[in-house]
Every structure is written in C-alpha cells, then in structure tokens.
Amino acid sequence: MERLSGMDATFLYLETDAGHMQIALVGIYDVSTMRDGYSFEKFKQHMADRLQVVPPFRRRLVEVPFQFHHPVWIEDPDFDLDRHVRRVTCPAPGGRRELGEVTAEIASVPLDRDRPLWEAWVIEGLKHDRVGLVIKVHHAAVDGAGGADIDSKLSTDVANR
C-alpha cells in the first residue's frame, strides 16, 4: 500500500467530466518487420510479460473513508488484463486522419477508477502494414518522465516478438 502524494492526488481532485487528467502515448509500428509476424494475442502476451516492470499497471486506487487523507494505491487482487488491453480496427483508408479520430475517441473516455488507471489500445487496419498503439494512463499514476519510462519498458523487444 502506498499513499498518493499531494501532487498526484491533485490530479484526481481536478478531474471533471470534461477534463480528464490522463496522458496518452501514441505509436505506429511497422509489423512487417516483426519476427513471426504480428498478432494481437502475441502483443497481449508481451504486455502480460512486461507487467512486473511497470508497477502502476498492477495497482488500483482505494479512497480513504470520508476523504480524511489522500487515496492509496494497492495491488489489484482482481487484475484482469482483458480489461486493459483492447483492440479496434481503424476505418478505411487507415491513414493519419482516421488514426487521429480513433485516438481522439479513445482519449475522450475517462479511465475507470475501480481498476488500475491505464489502458492499451491496439489499432489495426492502418495503411502500409502498420499497427497503432495508444497507451492511456492517469496522471495520478505517472508523470511525463514516468510515461516515457513506461513506454521504454513496454517497448523492449516488442519488434522481436
């Protein structure tokens, strides 16, 4: 169990229906270079294999009764990867505009505070044999540098799968 800092808790307190306090990382991958080709199942297994190096991805919030103090992070005893790693098909022709629209839709939905505060969306159907990836994480769980660190840890060996 770890209590949120005042700054991290502020990101929770400032969130509104119109202003979500989450960050999104977007990547485009050329899957033609992947050893043994791409499959969503292999990507999902890669995420499962990397979870131990990204602690915020296994923790969920617990509110303190009557809000006497900031919430705490606990290891989620009911963690289910299927609730966090999802896939969607980009509308044709699968260019930057369509990818932007799909990404905007993903980013517009708030994260469920009853689960660890992240989602990974694989966007299939992009032009030129590419796949998009949007990783959405609440700002209470990571800062900007933490987001880059997560991207680095999750990307390790993804091209070699």
Side-chain angles (χ1 to χ4, degrees), residues 16 18 20 23-25 37 53 81 89 93 99 101 115 126 144 153:
T16 67
H20 308 182
I23 59 171
L25 304 137
V53 297
L81 190 62
T89 301
L99 174 62
E101 290 169 358
R115 300 183 184 135
L126 299 182
K153 288 177 179 175

Side-chain angles (χ1 to χ4, degrees), residues 78-90:
D78 300 317
F79 181 80
D80 181 358
L81 190 62
D82 289 331
R83 294 182 170 190
H84 297 276
V85 179
R86 301 176 178 162
R87 73 199 285 190
V88 64
T89 301
C90 189

Side-chain angles (χ1 to χ4, degrees), residues 15 20-23 83-84 86 106-121 135-141:
E15 193 164 47
H20 308 182
M21 302 303 283
Q22 57 201 23
I23 59 171
R83 294 182 170 190
H84 297 276
R86 301 176 178 162
I106 290 167
S108 72
V109 178
L111 292 161
D112 182 349
R113 288 197 185 182
D114 292 331
R115 300 183 184 135
L117 295 176
W118 70 278
E119 294 175 349
W121 287 81
I135 299 176
K136 184 168 70 168
V137 184
H138 200 283
H139 214 316

Side-chain angles (χ1 to χ4, degrees), residues 1-2 47-62 72-81 84 114-119 137 141-142 150 153-154:
M1 181 169 64
E2 176 186 343
M47 292 294 287
D49 293 345
R50 305 301 299 165
L51 282 176
Q52 75 275 5
V53 297
V54 189
F57 280 24
R58 298 183 319 268
R59 303 181 306 195
R60 70 173 175 82
L61 285 173
V62 175
V72 295
W73 293 114
I74 64 162
E75 197 81 17
D76 186 355
D78 300 317
F79 181 80
D80 181 358
L81 190 62
H84 297 276
D114 292 331
R115 300 183 184 135
L117 295 176
W118 70 278
E119 294 175 349
V137 184
V142 297
I150 287 171
K153 288 177 179 175
L154 292 179

Side-chain angles (χ1 to χ4, degrees), residues 3 34 57 70 121 132 136 144 160:
R3 186 166 312 282
M34 295 176 81
F57 280 24
H70 301 311
W121 287 81
K136 184 168 70 168
N160 295 321

